[in-house]
Every structure is written in structure tokens, then in C-alpha cells.
Amino acid sequence: MGLKNLLTTHIGAPDSHTLNHYRSVGGYESQKKALSEMTAEQIVNDVKNSGLRGRGGAGFPTGNKWGFIPKTDKPKYLICNGDEGEPGTFKDRLLLEKLPHMLVEGMVIAAKAIDSHQGYIYIRGEFHKGIRVVEEAVEEAYKAGLLGKNIMGLGYDFDLAVYSGAGAYICGEESALINSLEGRRGHPRLKPPFPAVSGLYACPTVVNNVETFCNVPHIIRMTGEEYKKIGTEKSPGTRLFAVSGHVKKPGIYEVEMGTPMKELIYDICGGIKNDKTLKAVIPGGSSSPILTAEEAMTATMDYESIASLKSMLGSGAVIILSEVADLVETTYRLAEFYSHESCGQCTPCREGTHWVKDLLHKIKNGEGTEKDVELIFSLSRNMEGGTTICPLADACVMAVRPTMTKFKGEFSARLKKEVSISH
């Protein structure tokens, strides 16, 4: 366990984003193998055998997702979700800027697996450099015959376009992203139907995130069975973790799944900044419930371990909080984010996130009471568990309620002391 370079083996090269460098280290050989030697079913089965799980948040098995695409005469679309907007998350941005051809190659292989001939890379609007680099990579690939008609002379056609979003966090949800691609307002859709049946332009669609697609060329090169030997049985492979907060060496680290969180924090990241004491860890982006220091020291960086602690590995953002962290301020800031980013389509989310944010603002300023705390918990119960079309309201609850529960003392200390009136 620990650090393991798979996706990031050559990321340190100054020209890693170029076609010449990518081909010099074996780039597009997996694409050639997939297009010339493998059937669509063999590609899907290889990815299934690898155990690769989506690296965007939910951790759904990638091969199973591809297998849901029906056999139909309708066009099938392939979409890369590069709308990385979760607070604390920045690992996909690195891949877009440094390894765009790995993404392109992974998408071409996935396209053959689901019989798609049109793909889109949807990138967050603020990622100006990433958009430019990916557009240049796509142009290079077209000129080299690695995209377009009769790719590599092997008889498969696949076109790929880059689409810039407008910086809406909600468009990271796959159906809202699809609406945005269609030129509609970025509102999530009711499910079913799921995108695999009725997605972009009401046609079968697969949406995977950047890191997921970047794993595909490595799986084809080494075979799914060999890939599964990395990591744990139920969480195979490596994972890019964006580590931020109170650590001595924040950054993006590719580690083998199953690596102890303690090793990630103290060995790989050098320990807590200024040698302070660890207070808490947000293990998978702001929507994953917070872990106490004691919980974090027992956790390993895989889906099952984090789930056993009632949290999520999520988007791969590990936020380290030391004893100097003001968790009331932190929780308010996250609630403010979700209130701002709610699309307003569902009442429990539109109103609930706003109320939670305002109540936390009162508590933060020392003006809140026990009744405000009770109201936050009451609102939380009405916001979660399927009361909204997408999980944004649930994400707000998960960012707020566990912190208020596990660190109750910090919130109680900020409450206004109610004076009883004697007659």
C-alpha cells in the first residue's frame, strides 16, 4: 500500500500534455489493441473484471454501467464529466491539464465498448487552462488519425467535442450536465429513466468522470485481472486524492486503494501543519460526513472502510482539520456553498439549504439558541432521503449534521445564553 504511480507515472514531464510525449511512453497502444483485437463485449468484460469503480463520487462499477447500454439502433453518446466543483476537489483538473491524451484514449476505448460514435468532454468553465489544453489535445488526435473517421485505419469512427460549462456545481450531477449539453437550464432530471436508457437527446448515454476514463487504457494494457491485483478486493486500483487543509505537504497523491489514512496524512503528507493535533478529516469532499481524529486513524482509503464509518470516499478530496480549525465557521461556509449552488428546482433544497445557512450564521455570530440547533436538525430530516430530485440537499445535510453531532461542544459554546425571567 501507499504511493503507487499508475496514471501519474509520467506526469512530471514538462510536455506530458503533448501527443509526442504521450506516444513516446506507450500512449494509444491500448486504443490500437481495443480497436483491432477486441470486441465490444471483451472490452466491457475486461473493465468488469478489473473491478474499476467510478472515481467521481458514487463509486459505481464502471463495467456494469457500460453493460446497461441497450442494443438499439438509436445513437449512443459518451460523456466525460469534467465539471469538478466539490469544495476541496482538484485532482481531475490536474489530469485535464497534464494528461489529456490519456483521457482521449480512454474515451475512444469506452466508445467502442458501448458502440458510441459521438462523445463530449464537459469541463468546468473556470478551468481555463484545462479547456485549452484538452482542446489542443483533441485537435492533435484528429490530425494524427486517432479520432474521427476510420481511426488508426482500423474501421472505427468516433468524434469528440469539448464543451465548457458555466461554473454551476449542480451540473456535476449527470442529468443536469446532460440538460446543460442540450442547451437547457442545468436542472437534474427525475429518474427513471436513467441516462443509460434515455440520456442525451433521449438516447442511451454513459457519463463517467475524468479519472475513471484515464484508468481504462491501463486496464486494457495490463488486463482487468492484473489491474484487480492492485488495491483491495472490493476497491481495486489506485486513487488520486486531493489533500488540503492543515497538512505540511498538501497536494495530489496517487495511492493504492486500501492505504491507511494515517499513512496518507503522516507519512505521505508529512503530518499536521505546525505539529498541531489532528481534530477531524473530511474524507471525500465537502458532502462526505466528517470523521473524528480517532475514526480517521482507523480508516483505510477504500470505499468499504470509509462507508463503515458512515461516510464516503466521494470525490477524492481529503480535507485535514487540526486543533486550530473553527468547525462552526467551516460548517457555515459549506452550508453557504450548498445554499448558493442549489438550482432551486426542489422546495426542500431551495428553502432548506437557505434556512440551514442562515441559522448557522446566527450560531457562528453567537446569536443562536438551542431552538436554532433543533430547527437545523428538523430541517435536515425534511431535506434528506429522497425528498428532492438530486442529492444536493442530502449533501448539505451530510456536511452539517454529522459535524454538529460529533463536535456538539463547539457549537454549544457559541450559543447565546438564554436568561430566565423571574416573576
Side-chain angles (χ1 to χ4, degrees):
M1 299 299 174
L3 288 172
K4 185 174 180 63
N5 290 336
L6 184 64
L7 276 61
T8 58
T9 302
H10 305 286
I11 205 166
D15 58 347
S16 65
H17 62 287
T18 65
L19 178 59
N20 283 342
H21 181 272
Y22 188 61
R23 297 196 89 165
S24 74
V25 294
Y28 289 105
E29 289 301 312
S30 292
Q31 175 173 306
K32 182 178 180 181
K33 176 183 176 181
L35 296 184
S36 63
E37 302 175 23
M38 302 176 74
T39 64
E41 291 74 20
Q42 286 173 328
I43 297 171
V44 172
N45 287 335
D46 216 15
V47 174
K48 282 183 179 179
N49 291 338
S50 74
L52 176 67
R53 297 172 65 167
R55 302 300 198 234
F60 192 82
T62 304
N64 290 3
K65 195 174 194 178
W66 295 0
F68 291 152
I69 295 294
K71 306 295 183 185
T72 174
D73 292 334
K74 279 187 173 184
K76 302 167 188 71
Y77 294 104
L78 186 69
I79 301 174
C80 172
N81 184 347
D83 192 73
E84 185 177 46
E86 183 101 349
T89 312
F90 46 92
K91 47 92 178 175
D92 281 351
R93 178 181 177 181
L94 180 75
L95 294 174
L96 292 169
E97 294 178 358
K98 297 290 188 178
L99 300 170
H101 282 284
M102 189 179 293
L103 169 61
V104 172
E105 183 179 17
M107 290 190 72
V108 174
I109 296 168
K112 179 172 180 179
I114 67 168
D115 189 30
S116 170
H117 300 283
Q118 177 64 58
Y120 298 92
I121 304 174
Y122 186 105
I123 304 177
R124 189 165 187 80
E126 292 92 341
F127 289 179
H128 301 296
K129 180 179 178 181
I131 293 167
R132 175 178 56 79
V133 170
V134 173
E135 286 177 338
E136 289 173 358
V138 169
E139 186 177 347
E140 280 186 310
Y142 267 108
K143 288 180 178 178
L146 301 167
L147 281 173
K149 301 294 182 184
N150 192 25
I151 294 173
M152 304 177 92
L154 297 173
Y156 195 80
D157 303 337
F158 181 65
D159 287 302
L160 190 58
V162 180
Y163 187 97
S164 172
Y169 171 69
I170 195 67
C171 288
E173 195 277 335
E174 62 180 6
S175 64
L177 185 156
I178 289 169
N179 270 344
S180 178
L181 267 176
E182 291 181 353
R184 304 170 188 268
R185 184 174 293 178
H187 279 177
R189 299 177 180 179
L190 280 168
K191 300 173 187 177
F194 291 92
V197 176
S198 181
L200 187 65
Y201 307 125
C203 294
T205 304
V206 161
V207 184
N208 286 124
N209 98 313
V210 176
E211 188 183 351
T212 307
F213 281 124
C214 284
N215 272 278
V216 173
H218 300 279
I219 291 169
I220 298 302
R221 173 179 57 81
M222 65 177 17
T223 75
E225 290 183 2
E226 287 299 311
Y227 181 91
K228 194 165 186 178
K229 293 177 182 178
I230 305 169
T232 69
E233 182 180 354
K234 293 183 178 179
S235 296
T238 63
R239 186 81 199 264
L240 268 65
F241 291 105
V243 185
S244 63
H246 301 139
V247 285
K248 293 179 180 178
K249 297 191 293 183
I252 300 169
Y253 299 93
E254 185 176 12
V255 304
E256 193 168 356
M257 296 281 267
T259 296
M261 187 179 289
K262 183 177 181 179
E263 181 180 344
L264 176 66
I265 297 171
Y266 287 97
D267 297 338
I268 296 172
C269 295
I272 307 302
K273 189 176 180 180
N274 298 324
D275 295 319
K276 298 292 185 179
T277 301
L278 178 66
K279 179 188 283 187
V281 177
I282 300 175
S286 63
S287 62
S288 59
I290 199 167
L291 303 179
T292 64
E294 293 76 16
E295 290 172 326
M297 291 303 95
T298 68
T300 54
M301 304 306 292
D302 56 82
Y303 295 100
E304 291 69 37
S305 173
I306 305 299
S308 71
L309 296 169
K310 296 182 171 54
S311 189
M312 305 180 299
L313 208 55
S315 58
V318 184
I319 304 171
I320 310 300
L321 301 165
S322 78
E323 59 185 296
V324 303
D326 181 345
L327 292 186
V328 179
E329 176 73 27
T330 300
T331 307
Y332 164 70
R333 291 293 181 185
L334 293 179
E336 186 180 40
F337 170 81
Y338 287 108
S339 175
H340 179 268
E341 294 295 339
S342 172
C343 75
Q345 188 176 192
C346 305
T347 302
C349 182
R350 180 184 66 247
E351 301 299 327
T353 55
H354 173 76
W355 274 100
V356 168
K357 179 257 297 182
D358 283 355
L359 290 166
L360 281 168
H361 188 265
K362 283 181 65 180
I363 294 171
K364 177 178 77 79
N365 289 343
E367 300 168 357
T369 66
E370 285 289 353
K371 289 183 179 179
D372 293 320
V373 174
E374 292 171 8
L375 183 53
I376 289 175
F377 280 89
S378 176
L379 287 165
S380 296
R381 288 190 290 272
N382 291 323
M383 291 167 63
E384 64 182 350
T387 61
T388 53
I389 292 173
C390 90
L392 190 143
D394 296 76
C396 180
V397 172
M398 289 189 287
V400 171
R401 188 172 60 195
T403 310
M404 294 185 69
T405 301
K406 293 179 180 181
F407 298 92
K408 183 178 179 181
E410 292 198 29
F411 289 84
S412 297
R414 298 283 267 273
L415 298 180
K416 183 168 61 177
K417 305 303 178 187
E418 298 181 81
V419 180
S420 59
I421 301 174
S422 58
H423 298 282

